[in-house]
Amino acid sequence: MKHSVFPFSCSGLRGLAGPAHSSGPATVSRNPSGLDRRQFLGTSAACLAAAGWTWTARADEAKPQPAKIIVGAHPWVYAATQPQYDIYPILDRIFADMRYAGLDGIELMHTALYPEDAVARIKALSAEHQLPVIGTSYGAALWDRQQTNAVLENAAMVIDRLAQVGGRTLGISVGDPGRKKTPEEFDCQADVLRNIQGLCRRQGVVPNLHNHTYEVRDEQHDLRGTLARIPDFLLGPDLNWLVRGGVDPVEFIRQHKRQIVFLHLRDQTAAGRWSEALGEGDMDYAAIAGALREVGFTGDAIIELAHERDFQPTRPLRESLRQSRQFVRRVFGW
């Protein structure tokens, strides 16, 4: 039986870190009186009610359709194999693998947007592989007042380029000083987050707080410090980092409910080691899926594989991504 695993602690830190649509003109069914279908039904209902009759709409007209959960992937597992975690030289492979795996989109690492030709190249790869850019992860020392101007200048560039390639989400990691932050540092962190919110709003991008272990260990000390200052900031938890930070993901989902708009999915064994693919570990994803249904989650879900430094893969990464995508479809129904 699968079980929740959350007594382990890890200080691992990765790379620093509804969609617009259009539709054609509506086709309106006309009745002989010249009323369109909505007017005809509304008028008919009123007349029947006046005559003492009860009118009921067809079930297929009234039934709401469930929101489609976009399932993408983050390329950290590729970055871990590259010098300085730089995925830019292998973006063509990453896009091809994620398309092969049946994913709906890709979440970039923000450093992939740094090169001058990044926008043109990423747009071309996205079109070639029919794989939309969902967003990007982003991380910096938001708590450090001395870095504030540089952080905001960098964030503005990243958000602008992200919008140009069609991205609509920004998963923010606030930075780890290696100790508990002071109240003054939390104040600075909150100020920078508010400024990033403004930058995102102008570009049509939705920011969320993405956690590593440092944001949620010590009874969620860092996250609580942020939410005490910005209570309504949207959340994009990494469920496995929650586990490694000592937090039960099911309880976290129930606690924060609809404030959660984004998820990172990864798995680990009972021994606390990452599994090769999602579904090969011991995290209780059936219970997690149930909690997400319970709170009405309608955001995006991102598979983010990671492997221990001494791990030797038994299959190509694209196959692990494909297997992980199939697991999400089977367990979550997405």
Side-chain angles (χ1 to χ4, degrees):
M1 176 181 291
K2 300 277 184 175
H3 57 277
S4 295
V5 185
F6 53 92
F8 305 99
S9 174
C10 174
S11 58
L13 180 62
R14 298 191 302 277
L16 288 178
H21 63 280
S22 62
S23 58
T27 301
V28 179
S29 174
R30 296 279 177 179
N31 61 55
S33 69
L35 294 174
D36 69 35
R37 187 169 181 273
R38 289 176 181 268
Q39 292 171 319
F40 176 74
L41 290 173
T43 302
S44 300
C47 293
L48 289 168
W53 291 76
T54 300
W55 176 79
T56 304
R58 284 171 48 189
D60 61 348
E61 292 174 344
K63 185 185 299 181
Q65 295 299 311
K68 174 176 170 54
I69 305 298
I70 301 300
V71 180
H74 185 280
W76 166 252
V77 72
Y78 293 88
T81 68
Q82 300 302 301
Q84 286 76 54
Y85 307 109
D86 183 8
I87 62 170
Y88 196 71
I90 59 168
L91 275 178
D92 51 349
R93 175 192 167 196
I94 292 170
F95 270 85
D97 283 4
M98 291 189 180
R99 177 62 178 173
Y100 167 84
L103 293 155
D104 302 325
I106 180 173
E107 184 190 23
L108 297 170
M109 294 171 65
H110 77 275
T111 51
L113 292 162
Y114 282 2
E116 287 302 317
D117 64 341
V119 169
R121 184 179 178 210
I122 291 169
K123 288 176 71 173
L125 286 169
S126 179
E128 176 187 352
H129 296 285
Q130 299 181 324
L131 193 74
V133 174
I134 297 170
T136 187
S137 55
Y138 182 80
L142 274 60
W143 53 273
D144 186 350
R145 187 74 68 180
Q146 293 183 348
Q147 298 188 50
T148 292
N149 290 338
V151 167
L152 290 176
E153 181 179 348
N154 178 258
M157 180 272 288
V158 167
I159 294 164
D160 177 67
R161 292 185 179 183
L162 175 64
Q164 290 184 60
V165 299
R168 53 183 174 73
T169 67
L170 185 78
I172 304 168
S173 300
V174 294
D176 181 11
R179 52 171 171 76
K180 289 185 178 181
K181 292 169 186 168
T182 67
E184 293 75 22
E185 288 169 339
F186 277 128
D187 291 342
C188 176
Q189 186 163 289
D191 289 342
V192 175
L193 284 169
R194 291 188 190 97
N195 276 283
I196 290 176
Q197 279 182 314
L199 294 169
C200 286
R201 192 177 302 115
R202 287 190 285 274
Q203 297 284 4
V205 172
V206 178
N208 65 80
L209 290 174
H210 169 70
N211 67 273
H212 294 82
T213 54
Y214 65 83
E215 286 101 340
V216 295
R217 65 186 170 216
D218 299 318
E219 298 183 348
Q220 304 180 49
H221 171 78
D222 200 299
L223 180 59
R224 291 181 190 278
T226 299
L227 294 181
R229 291 158 175 80
I230 319 177
D232 59 351
F233 208 102
L234 297 175
L235 304 179
D238 181 304
L239 302 183
N240 179 247
W241 287 128
L242 289 179
V243 166
R244 291 193 169 202
V247 177
D248 183 343
V250 169
E251 291 306 313
F252 187 93
I253 290 164
R254 288 174 175 157
Q255 177 185 358
H256 294 287
K257 298 187 171 90
R258 292 181 183 270
Q259 201 163 341
I260 299 173
V261 298
F262 206 80
L263 296 172
H264 271 204
L265 309 174
R266 188 169 50 260
D267 207 348
Q268 71 177 41
T269 67
R273 288 176 61 87
W274 287 314
S275 57
E276 189 163 7
L278 192 61
E280 293 183 318
D282 292 279
M283 284 181 59
D284 192 348
Y285 271 109
I288 289 168
L292 291 167
R293 287 191 293 270
E294 176 186 317
V295 303
F297 174 75
T298 58
D300 301 307
I302 300 296
I303 296 164
E304 185 188 15
L305 300 183
H307 299 145
E308 313 295 342
R309 291 185 182 275
D310 61 349
F311 178 75
Q312 295 298 318
T314 67
R315 65 178 80 97
L317 289 177
R318 58 166 32 197
E319 295 296 343
S320 287
L321 282 173
R322 186 178 186 182
Q323 185 170 318
S324 298
R325 178 67 184 94
Q326 291 170 346
F327 174 80
V328 170
R329 187 176 289 112
R330 184 170 66 253
V331 174
F332 292 86
W334 303 335

